[in-house]
């Protein structure tokens, strides 16, 4: 086909049209490549050349110094220095493990000070897997390791091997001696790994475990399957049968795991056999029946957070208020925000005062959302809890 004239587009598109078509496709292709490369998880665990950021390089250097060298950093950088969301793959996890081991060597010989970001090893939101965790766990086995908290959340490549590796060291009396808080939120650890950490970490006094938003894709199945079937595939729900082994555990976070009323019965029975005093159940599927199962815990727990459980409502608040009237109630902090509690439930909670002198913090709303509760009731609740707080 021949172009009959430069401006005619009936028989053949003009060169301007062709250029415009090619440019549009080039933009789409360029954006696609950009976002592909923006995801370092694609190649950071395969090739060990990916450089997360200058922050990671600075941390590795500081760990190798005999004395801290802050000459090129501000005080703000010193405080915020951690390894969160630096897209660390297995290569940098290996370097970090070696640097930590050398640092603990020097610390044991009194050649260097301790670092805050090693006391709390914040590795949230990276891309290493069980192999990378192995390098870090080996360093934490050092006799002079002083790390107290390890946060491994949002590392989706971490599986049961990681949990079993930590459990093996924790059960030993001469490894990870200072570790008391382990977080594995949003990882791929299953019932096997969670249960083993209950058994081992729970043997340490004043210890804390966090398994928030485990297997997030499970939330969809909560609406598609009957509750008794869902319990058989939810890793957190399945592991509750082993929670009673965590006899010395102090704090447990199970946020966003689609745990329903049936799971609350199993949870409450297990918690009563432990030393747990802080329980976080935000954003699950708890209703009034679930609250009823949790009532025996009001004489053991100091902190209970059941926010964003919208089925709780006034009925659940009334059940809790009756339990709070018990002189044996030990609850000091109770959070019920975004639980669809209205004036009826708020009045019931207000009726627990002034006899209840333990409750020092009560949250029924988030921010300035007082639409369902009268301002006078909110004010009275604030005054009552503040009075308990001042009298402590």
């Amino acid at each position: 086909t021949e172009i009959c004239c430069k401006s005619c587009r009936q028989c053949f598109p003009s060169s301007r049209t062709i250029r415009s078509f090619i440019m549009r496709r080039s933009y789409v292709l360029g954006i696609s490549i950009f976002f592909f490369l923006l995801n370092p998880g694609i190649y950071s665990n395969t090739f060990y050349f990916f450089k997360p950021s200058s922050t990671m390089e600075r941390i590795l250097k500081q760990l190798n110094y005999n004395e801290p060298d802050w000459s090129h950093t501000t005080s703000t950088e010193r405080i915020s220095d951690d390894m969160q969301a630096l897209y660390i793959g297995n290569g940098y996890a290996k370097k970090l493990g070696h640097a930590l081991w050398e640092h603990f060597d020097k610390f044991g010989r009194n050649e260097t000070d301790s670092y805050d970001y090693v006391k709390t090893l914040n590795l949230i939101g990276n891309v290493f897997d069980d192999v990378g965790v192995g390098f870090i766990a080996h360093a934490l086995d050092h006799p002079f390791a002083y790390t107290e908290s390890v946060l491994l959340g949002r590392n989706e490549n971490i599986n049961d091997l990681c949990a079993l590796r930590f459990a093996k060291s924790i059960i030993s009396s001469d490894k990870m001696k200072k570790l008391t808080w382990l977080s594995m939120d949003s990882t791929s650890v299953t019932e096997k790994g969670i249960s083993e950490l209950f058994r081992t970490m729970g043997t340490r006094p004043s210890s804390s475990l966090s398994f928030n938003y485990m297997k997030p894709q499970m939330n969809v199945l909560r609406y598609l399957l009957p509750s008794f079937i869902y319990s058989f595939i939810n890793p957190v729900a399945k592991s509750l049968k082993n929670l009673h082994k965590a006899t010395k555990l102090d704090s447990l976070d199970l946020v966003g795991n689609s745990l329903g009323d049936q799971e609350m019965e199993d949870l409450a029975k297990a918690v009563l056999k432990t030393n747990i005093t802080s329980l976080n159940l935000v954003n699950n599927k708890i209703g009034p029946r679930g609250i009823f199962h949790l009532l025996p815990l009001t004489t053991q727990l100091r902190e209970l957070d059941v926010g964003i459980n919208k089925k709780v409502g006034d009925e659940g608040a009334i059940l809790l208020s009756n339990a709070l009237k018990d002189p044996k109630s030990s609850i000091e902090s109770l959070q019920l925000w975004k639980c669809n509690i209205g004036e009826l439930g708020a009045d019931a909670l207000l009726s627990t005062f002034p006899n209840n002198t333990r409750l020092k913090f009560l949250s029924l709303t988030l921010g300035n959302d007082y639409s369902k509760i009268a301002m006078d009731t909110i004010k009275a609740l604030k005054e009552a809890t503040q009075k308990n707080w001042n009298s402590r």
Side-chain angles (χ1 to χ4, degrees):
T1 303
E2 296 181 357
I3 300 178
C4 56
C5 65
K6 292 183 179 180
S7 61
C8 178
R9 297 185 183 180
Q10 295 180 355
C11 55
F12 196 82
S14 68
S15 59
R16 180 181 297 177
T17 304
I18 295 173
R19 286 197 304 270
S20 177
F21 175 84
I22 294 173
M23 289 183 67
R24 285 199 298 269
R25 295 301 183 273
S26 298
Y27 290 148
V28 174
L29 180 61
I31 292 172
S32 300
I33 293 173
F34 172 77
F35 281 106
F36 178 83
L37 295 176
L38 198 63
N39 181 9
I42 296 171
Y43 50 85
S44 62
N45 283 337
T46 306
F47 306 102
Y48 285 180
F49 60 80
F50 180 69
K51 181 178 180 179
S53 73
S54 59
T55 303
M56 189 64 198
E57 292 289 346
R58 184 169 65 246
I59 289 172
L60 291 175
K61 289 179 181 179
Q62 288 167 0
L63 287 172
N64 288 318
Y65 289 149
N66 286 338
E67 294 294 336
D69 180 7
W70 304 113
S71 58
H72 302 292
T73 57
T74 65
S75 58
T76 304
E77 287 175 327
R78 299 174 207 173
I79 296 171
S80 63
D81 258 354
D82 57 36
M83 288 145 274
Q84 179 175 346
L86 294 183
Y87 299 106
I88 302 170
N90 288 341
Y92 264 88
K94 183 176 182 179
K95 290 183 179 180
L96 175 61
H98 291 165
L100 284 170
W101 185 274
E102 292 176 6
H103 170 72
F104 292 140
D105 263 342
K106 294 176 181 178
F107 179 75
R109 297 193 299 265
N110 294 319
E111 294 176 1
T112 187
D113 296 328
S114 62
Y115 293 99
D116 288 340
Y117 58 83
V118 178
K119 285 183 178 179
T120 299
L121 201 57
N122 187 345
L123 294 164
I124 293 173
N126 287 291
V127 292
F128 51 78
D129 56 22
D130 292 332
V131 175
V133 172
F135 298 129
I136 297 167
H138 174 70
L140 297 179
D141 286 341
H142 194 286
F144 292 102
Y146 56 83
T147 301
E148 299 171 359
S149 307
V150 177
L151 314 181
L152 296 171
R154 299 208 315 272
N155 286 280
E156 296 181 0
N157 298 322
I158 290 177
N159 293 285
D160 284 338
L161 286 177
C162 165
L164 298 177
R165 174 64 180 83
F166 270 88
K168 182 179 178 180
S169 292
I170 290 168
I171 200 65
S172 173
S173 60
D174 59 343
K175 296 179 180 178
M176 298 188 185
K177 292 180 288 187
K178 299 288 185 179
L179 184 64
T180 55
W181 180 22
L182 182 60
S183 170
M184 292 198 171
D185 307 336
S186 297
T187 59
S188 297
V189 178
T190 68
E191 174 200 359
K192 181 179 180 181
I194 297 172
S195 297
E196 191 63 14
L197 286 173
F198 281 155
R199 185 183 70 85
T200 55
M201 193 70 174
T203 62
R204 296 196 168 184
S206 303
S207 56
S208 302
L209 280 171
S210 180
F211 299 107
N212 298 332
Y213 295 101
M214 303 297 288
K215 294 284 186 181
Q217 63 271 27
M218 291 288 187
N219 290 335
V220 178
L221 298 179
R222 162 61 73 180
Y223 300 100
L224 301 177
L225 299 174
S227 59
F228 69 93
I229 295 179
Y230 180 77
S231 298
F232 287 106
I233 61 174
N234 185 334
V236 175
K238 290 170 66 177
S239 65
L240 293 178
K241 62 187 177 186
N242 294 302
L243 177 59
H244 68 278
K245 298 176 182 178
T247 53
K248 297 182 180 180
L249 193 66
D250 180 69
S251 176
L252 179 62
D253 286 6
L254 299 175
V255 175
N257 286 305
S258 294
L259 302 175
D261 294 339
Q262 182 177 341
E263 289 79 29
M264 291 304 102
E265 182 176 8
D266 299 333
L267 176 65
K269 290 178 180 178
V271 169
L272 287 173
K273 297 177 182 180
T274 69
N275 288 337
I276 293 175
T277 60
S278 178
L279 184 60
N280 189 346
L281 297 169
V282 167
N283 198 16
N284 281 287
K285 307 295 179 184
I286 304 170
R289 190 164 67 90
I291 293 294
F292 174 78
H293 292 314
L294 294 175
L295 293 181
L297 301 183
T298 57
T299 58
Q300 175 176 324
L301 298 177
R302 291 197 311 269
E303 301 175 1
L304 176 61
D305 192 343
V306 288
I308 322 183
N309 284 281
K310 298 181 180 180
K311 295 181 181 179
V312 171
D314 287 335
E315 185 179 352
I318 292 171
L319 289 171
L320 281 169
S321 68
N322 292 332
L324 292 173
K325 291 175 182 177
D326 186 341
K328 297 180 181 179
S329 173
S330 58
I331 299 290
E332 297 178 2
S333 174
L334 177 61
Q335 301 203 47
L336 294 164
W337 48 285
K338 285 196 173 183
C339 286
N340 281 332
I341 294 175
E343 186 67 27
L344 189 63
D347 282 337
L349 290 167
L350 182 60
S351 68
T352 65
F353 301 100
N355 292 334
N356 186 320
T357 59
R358 296 293 300 271
L359 188 60
K360 299 176 178 65
F361 182 83
L362 175 63
S363 174
L364 301 181
T365 59
L366 184 64
N368 296 319
D369 180 19
Y370 305 129
S371 55
K372 294 185 178 181
I373 305 174
M375 287 301 298
D376 289 343
T377 306
I378 293 290
K379 184 179 179 181
L381 285 169
K382 286 183 176 180
E383 291 175 351
T385 53
Q386 186 63 44
K387 183 178 180 181
N388 286 350
W389 181 270
N390 293 337
S391 62
R392 59 178 179 160

